[in-house]
Amino acid sequence: MDHFVYRAGRLWAEDVPLAEIAEAVGTPVYVYSDATLRRHLGLFQEALDWGPHLVCFAVKACGNVAVLRLLAEAGAGMDVVSEGEWRRARAAGVPGERIVFSGVGKTRAELRCALAGGVRQINVESEPELRALSAVAAAMGLEAPVAIRVNPDVDARTHPKIATGLSGTKFGIPAARAREAYRLAASLPGIRVVGVDVHIGSQITDLAPFEAAFRRVAELTEALRADGHRIERLDLGGGLGIPYAGSGEVPPLPRDWGAAIRRTVGHLGCEVTVEPGRLIAGNAGVLLSRVLYVKEGEGRDFLILDAGMNDLVRPALYDAHHDIVPETEAPPDAPRRVFDVVGPVCETGDIFARGREMPVLAEGDLVAFRSAGAYGAAMASEYNSRPLVPEVLVRRDQFAVIRRRPTFDEMIARDSVPPWL
Ligand SMILES: *Cc1c(COP(=O)(O)O)cnc(C)c1O
């Protein structure tokens, strides 16, 4: 459920007409709904209320400081994968003890920054990283709270580019080597083992791979306790899929996911951390864009939008499906037409949808990409020297620009020409 609905024939975000935002800020622009973000966070908090838990929002899904602040105010912690994200979380007012640091390639500088500024736990993904963290923490006279990310070798049955729990991927330490890694952790100075971490991928629409992974975590936790380690926390990652309207996928609800967590690891008495990103932000945002041209091609018609793959890369990168709806509601009997919906970027891959049947649209019309709140603005670039797409947050009848569109001068001023030219 979200708060982007038609009212009197126009598409609204909560109590603001999207056309008003397009007029004020220009297009393309991302628009987020405060109420939807809070609602989705609340679903996870409720799903885990059978025991101690912390829902850490995966900052990489949507890292705008305003979004992080509103989620933090509603009780969220943050899952970060770089110093930049750690700094965003801190800038949003999130205390270090609610920030989990994940990622396969943290630098020593990043580890130092997180340890100095505060971090709940560092999810370590390899033995070399463990040694580096030990050296950094010991030199600072600190103990780093550590969970080891284990690779459970389960098939998340999602797009191969977002599956992380199979043994051939770069993520985590193979489950078979985990006890040895924990033995190493316990022997190193500056390391305090606090838990076990797993994250098997993203846009997962079936509970079975989660259950398989969580069972492995439970078995491992028992084995590690028998080895004498104190395992107090389980970080079970994110990855729960969302219904992308029109995609036909029906993912499980957070409630059912929470029940699966309880079934598989509830008996261990651990505090549970989860790291959802997409499910909190995905359906809480739309990308608003305007039709530039309707072009008749060879045997197909192109709807050319002012948003491009640089603004929303998911279709080009993951063959992702996004529902694209007109801002002015089409009556049920309105004529329809089949379009290839494309952007202006000079790449053949700059296609949002092929052969999509939609209401007839004309130059100047507004459209909204649904389900664009996660991995949308966060993955945007300036490719083709298109200024970074702005972001707007709506709360009831108010809206605010939370990242403005840079000017061309600002964009160009970041470059510098060496003295010999
Ligand atoms: C990307 C990522 C997440 C969030 O995944 P979603 O599918 O957006 O819920 C959580 N944890 C880690 C370690 C990640 O890399």
Side-chain angles (χ1 to χ4, degrees):
M1 205 209 98
D2 60 51
H3 290 76
F4 298 94
V5 289
Y6 286 109
R7 266 195 238 161
R10 312 301 293 270
L11 190 58
W12 295 58
E14 303 193 19
D15 298 329
V16 179
L18 285 175
E20 197 180 314
I21 295 174
E23 198 57 46
V25 187
T27 54
V29 56
Y30 279 93
V31 181
Y32 307 115
S33 152
D34 178 300
T36 312
L37 288 162
R38 284 175 202 272
R39 185 185 131 74
H40 291 165
L41 172 65
L43 293 177
F44 282 102
Q45 291 167 331
E46 278 165 38
L48 296 173
D49 67 4
W50 47 266
H53 63 274
L54 182 66
V55 179
C56 288
F57 176 63
V59 172
K60 78 175 192 280
C62 183
N64 190 291
V65 169
V67 169
L68 304 187
R69 175 159 305 179
L70 88 83
L71 291 172
E73 275 183 4
M78 299 291 152
D79 169 50
V80 304
V81 294
S82 68
E83 180 171 340
E85 288 190 357
W86 182 88
R87 288 182 183 274
R88 282 186 173 277
R90 294 291 294 122
V94 183
E97 63 265 26
R98 285 207 276 151
I99 304 176
V100 168
F101 202 150
S102 303
V104 73
K106 307 175 200 78
T107 65
R108 283 168 174 76
E110 287 180 313
L111 294 169
R112 208 171 289 123
C113 166
L115 286 175
V119 69
R120 173 185 183 76
Q121 119 195 358
I122 296 180
N123 291 336
V124 170
E125 298 221 16
S126 66
E127 291 86 349
E129 183 193 345
L130 198 52
R131 292 182 194 280
L133 178 59
S134 165
V136 168
M140 296 170 80
L142 295 174
E143 279 205 316
V146 161
I148 291 181
R149 176 168 176 181
V150 294
N151 185 320
D153 194 19
V154 301
D155 183 356
R157 284 177 246 157
T158 183
H159 191 284
K161 282 188 184 160
I162 49 175
T164 61
L166 273 171
S167 61
T169 67
K170 68 180 176 180
F171 297 102
I173 291 179
R177 227 164 65 211
R179 287 172 78 175
E180 216 176 300
Y182 274 89
R183 209 169 305 134
L184 172 64
S187 75
L188 291 172
I191 299 287
R192 180 165 52 90
V193 169
V194 297
V196 178
D197 171 46
V198 73
H199 170 75
I200 58 170
S202 196
Q203 188 52 23
I204 300 166
T205 55
D206 180 3
L207 276 186
F210 284 117
E211 293 217 41
F214 300 161
R215 282 224 164 77
R216 290 214 124 181
V217 168
E219 286 161 18
L220 178 63
T221 299
E222 278 163 354
L224 291 173
R225 283 177 171 172
D227 290 346
H229 302 286
R230 277 185 64 179
I231 305 296
E232 297 157 354
R233 286 184 204 159
L234 301 179
D235 182 338
L236 301 174
L240 193 55
I242 63 170
Y244 282 96
S247 70
E249 288 181 329
V250 189
L253 300 172
R255 187 195 323 131
D256 301 327
W257 192 64
I261 292 175
R262 184 177 200 173
R263 249 190 332 273
T264 48
V265 305
H267 59 287
L268 296 167
C270 287
E271 182 178 3
V272 170
T273 307
V274 293
E275 306 168 343
R278 188 187 308 272
L279 204 143
I280 290 177
N283 280 322
V286 298
L287 172 62
L288 195 56
S289 175
R290 211 177 272 283
V291 176
L292 292 176
Y293 301 109
V294 179
K295 172 172 168 174
E296 291 184 8
E298 200 69 51
R300 62 184 66 220
D301 295 332
F302 294 101
L303 199 63
I304 304 177
L305 303 181
D306 67 359
M309 64 188 287
N310 67 299
D311 303 306
L312 177 64
V313 77
R314 299 189 63 258
L317 190 58
Y318 307 131
D319 307 309
H321 178 101
H322 281 273
D323 211 12
I324 305 167
V325 298
E327 179 273 328
T328 302
E329 191 175 22
D333 57 349
R336 297 175 74 82
R337 188 166 161 184
V338 173
F339 290 109
D340 278 9
V341 185
V342 303
V345 171
C346 298
E347 292 271 344
T348 312
D350 185 23
I351 297 187
F352 294 118
R354 269 175 230 276
R356 180 78 60 91
E357 193 194 284
M358 42 202 301
V360 172
L361 287 158
E363 253 180 70
D365 285 350
L366 285 170
V367 296
F369 288 78
R370 308 290 315 247
S371 315
Y375 307 105
M379 291 180 116
S381 76
E382 290 180 341
Y383 186 42
N384 278 209
S385 285
R386 294 162 47 80
L388 205 57
V389 59
E391 296 170 280
V392 164
L393 182 64
V394 172
R395 181 176 199 180
R396 299 206 192 96
D397 61 353
Q398 312 173 65
F399 72 89
V401 176
I402 56 172
R403 178 184 289 167
R404 68 178 175 79
R405 194 188 310 278
T407 65
F408 289 108
D409 287 344
E410 283 171 329
M411 183 174 73
I412 294 164
R414 291 203 312 261
D415 297 5
S416 50
V417 177
W420 62 82
L421 281 178

